Amino acid sequence: VLVDGSHDIALRRLLVSHTNREDSSAGMLIHESQDVLVEECEVVEFHYIGLNVYHSDRVTVRRCYVNGSNRPDGSYATDCPDTGDTAVALRGSSHCVVENTIAETVCDGFRVDGSSSATASAAGLGSLLQGNIAIDYWSEGFRLDSDCEGQDPCQESRIVSDTVLRHDLAIEAAPSSRTTEEAFRSAGGVNNLFESCTAIDYSQVGFSLAVAADNAGIVGSSTSVVGSLAFVATAGATGFDVSSLDDWSITFSNAFGHDPGEGFPAGFDQAANGCLEVDPLLGGCPVEIGPAMRGLGPVGGDIGASIVQRSESGTPTAAPLWDPTTGQFPCGAEVPGINDVPGRRCRDVHERLGIG
């Protein structure tokens, strides 16, 4: 599906499958377009990017399900040869909203990238990711990454800035040969925020705040984390890790299940920043706030993600996201042989998340 150089477009209830593995094709590509809505669509069996928003402005992706389905590369080699590289990518795009969308069985769930060829009006600026879930990801659940390519100083249009991730969940990093398995990662940007997010069962880092070597030319790199939870069932990973940033903060957050000294950065004053290392008592439903986390966030709020109600254009509503009777996500029709495989289909993803 291609939307190219267009505006005021709505795409609803589409099923997209089997990308062309001989090139860098995406299941859905929104290219140099504005004011586009992609709602309740399903993208499966792709080798590269499921839903790619490229050099566009004001694109909304809402209640979609994107699964790489272990589709391997063809003659076109990608960074992740055994399944889809990225479920949802915002590349050199600004003022976009991605909400209540699920990414499954991919290397990277959600990415916000700068672009070396983006214009100032379509850079990685001011997007919101809210109420999304990355499950069974092989590398990173959520990633923010500028595209400086060693440029020093890095030009503004290449930098991911003023991006907010709110009430997002990364759960169950899949065992793989990948060297980086991090739930939430900022690899270089300015004034980006992780707010009320939850990372569960990652192998390396829950929240990684860093500046990658090729983004070292960013002036005033900064990332904040507030009201977020890093939780592992077995020790060996790091909760919150910081390196090379000009400015950063972690406040009203919780790290639990890590080895001593691995929950927060060395020398970090937990008490002064309202941070904890206590069992969140999540139970079996990760889309809800753990009872031990209620009232411990900023201004008497909670710690962690709540993905129970629907979001519309970034505004929470009272409407339930999950079916009140079955717990099912709002999926479209099933087509035999395309999106009906038990254990990796939209219609039973709620069971893998312990909902219903």
Side-chain angles (χ1 to χ4, degrees):
V1 176
L2 172 63
V3 176
D4 185 22
S6 303
H7 61 88
D8 299 291
I9 303 291
L11 305 174
R12 291 188 172 96
R13 310 285 283 184
L14 302 180
L15 171 60
V16 180
S17 178
H18 290 81
T19 54
N20 179 4
R21 296 182 296 173
E22 309 311 309
D23 62 23
S24 59
S25 62
M28 303 180 76
L29 173 59
I30 314 301
H31 179 257
E32 295 186 353
S33 297
Q34 299 80 40
D35 300 301
V36 177
L37 171 65
V38 183
E39 184 176 76
E40 295 187 359
C41 293
E42 191 171 338
V43 184
V44 298
E45 295 277 358
F46 58 90
H47 70 296
Y48 186 39
I49 299 176
L51 204 163
N52 190 4
V53 180
Y54 190 78
H55 291 186
S56 294
D57 199 12
R58 300 184 303 277
V59 175
T60 297
V61 178
R62 178 184 300 147
R63 295 192 298 275
C64 293
Y65 176 77
V66 188
N67 192 322
S69 310
N70 296 315
R71 183 167 174 80
D73 288 349
S75 62
Y76 182 84
T78 71
D79 291 336
C80 190
D82 299 317
T83 191
D85 282 47
T86 305
V88 179
L90 306 181
R91 308 176 70 191
S93 296
S94 293
H95 311 111
C96 297
V97 176
V98 182
E99 54 191 354
N100 293 154
T101 288
I102 299 176
E104 187 170 19
T105 316
V106 287
C107 272
D108 296 334
F110 300 83
R111 290 188 61 130
V112 180
D113 294 308
S115 174
S116 60
S117 56
T119 63
S121 61
L125 171 68
S127 289
L128 170 67
L129 280 67
Q130 179 165 292
N132 303 293
I133 300 173
I135 179 173
D136 189 31
Y137 60 93
W138 296 12
S139 186
E140 289 147 349
F142 295 82
R143 180 184 177 98
L144 309 179
D145 194 355
S146 299
D147 190 25
C148 298
E149 297 182 324
Q151 187 183 77
D152 189 4
C154 184
Q155 69 188 60
E156 186 176 350
S157 62
R158 292 172 174 256
I159 299 173
V160 174
S161 60
D162 299 306
T163 298
V164 176
L165 277 67
R166 179 180 295 136
H167 286 288
D168 292 315
L169 167 67
I171 181 170
E172 295 180 2
S176 75
S177 60
R178 305 287 289 185
T179 58
T180 302
E181 291 176 2
E182 299 169 332
F184 292 86
R185 175 172 173 79
S186 176
V190 175
N191 196 34
N192 296 315
L193 172 65
F194 299 118
E195 179 182 357
S196 300
C197 294
T198 296
I200 300 176
D201 287 344
Y202 39 88
S203 65
Q204 292 192 11
V205 183
F207 292 83
S208 174
L209 315 182
V211 176
D214 59 352
N215 291 330
I218 295 174
V219 177
S221 58
S222 56
T223 304
S224 298
V225 180
V226 60
S228 293
L229 170 65
F231 171 74
V232 288
T234 57
T238 299
F240 296 85
D241 185 65
V242 179
S243 63
S244 304
L245 278 170
D246 294 324
D247 188 24
W248 60 274
S249 65
I250 303 169
T251 56
F252 298 102
S253 295
N254 184 34
F256 184 74
H258 311 89
D259 288 327
E262 294 297 328
F264 292 94
F268 178 72
D269 191 336
Q270 292 178 218
N273 288 282
C275 291
L276 308 165
E277 292 188 74
V278 300
D279 189 343
L281 302 177
L282 285 178
C285 189
V287 300
E288 295 183 323
I289 301 292
M293 296 292 94
R294 296 195 179 277
L296 298 179
V299 200
D302 304 325
I303 293 177
S306 176
I307 311 174
V308 178
Q309 274 78 39
R310 295 188 177 194
S311 173
E312 296 281 339
S313 301
T315 301
T317 73
L321 175 61
W322 314 90
D323 186 281
T325 302
T326 66
Q328 190 176 93
F329 189 69
C331 305
E334 281 194 343
V335 177
I338 301 295
N339 63 336
D340 63 341
V341 179
R344 67 179 195 191
R345 59 182 179 169
C346 181
R347 284 180 177 264
D348 58 14
V349 69
H350 67 290
E351 296 175 359
R352 295 188 287 287
L353 290 167
I355 301 169

